Amino acid sequence: MGDSMLGAMAVLKKNFDKYAGTDAEKGSMSKAELSEMLHQEIPGMIGDKKQLDQFFTALDEDKDGTVSFNEYIVLVGSLMMMLKEMFDQ
Ligand SMILES: [Ca+2]
């Protein structure tokens, strides 16, 4: 699928599965998994635990204590808007 939009979406899904799958709850990301993903995939974005807590709370829209795939997609959309300048270059 390479550089197609479908390929990019497959990468995002694979990325979610990779981090969501590290504990027993494989369909969603715990705070630890989200932290790991952000540190690995977007180094420097999260500074400290307080920032992570705020970020996690903002993402966990249904307040069930985990980030589902739907909530993750919202995160990706937000990141794309935040980092738009980077992609424009
Ligand atoms: Ca949730």
Side-chain angles (χ1 to χ4, degrees):
M1 284 187 276
D3 276 348
S4 69
M5 196 168 171
L6 204 57
M9 289 191 282
V11 168
L12 290 172
K13 173 67 167 65
K14 220 175 271 182
N15 185 74
F16 177 82
D17 290 344
K18 178 179 166 190
Y19 293 98
T22 60
D23 65 11
E25 198 62 62
K26 303 207 184 303
S28 58
M29 272 194 277
S30 63
K31 195 183 285 181
E33 287 169 336
L34 179 76
S35 170
E36 177 68 11
M37 185 194 82
L38 293 172
H39 281 111
Q40 297 292 330
E41 307 293 331
I42 315 169
M45 193 194 147
I46 296 290
D48 56 16
K49 193 177 171 299
K50 192 170 161 246
Q51 223 176 350
L52 176 70
D53 286 348
Q54 284 173 344
F55 198 60
F56 188 84
T57 305
L59 287 176
D60 184 16
E61 202 160 58
D62 62 5
K63 307 288 168 216
D64 70 347
T66 64
V67 171
S68 65
F69 186 69
N70 287 10
E71 290 165 343
Y72 161 80
I73 287 303
V74 173
L75 157 72
V76 171
S78 314
L79 287 174
M80 284 217 57
M81 285 187 271
M82 274 171 59
L83 302 175
K84 185 175 173 297
E85 284 76 46
M86 207 172 91
F87 296 116
D88 282 343
Q89 280 161 28

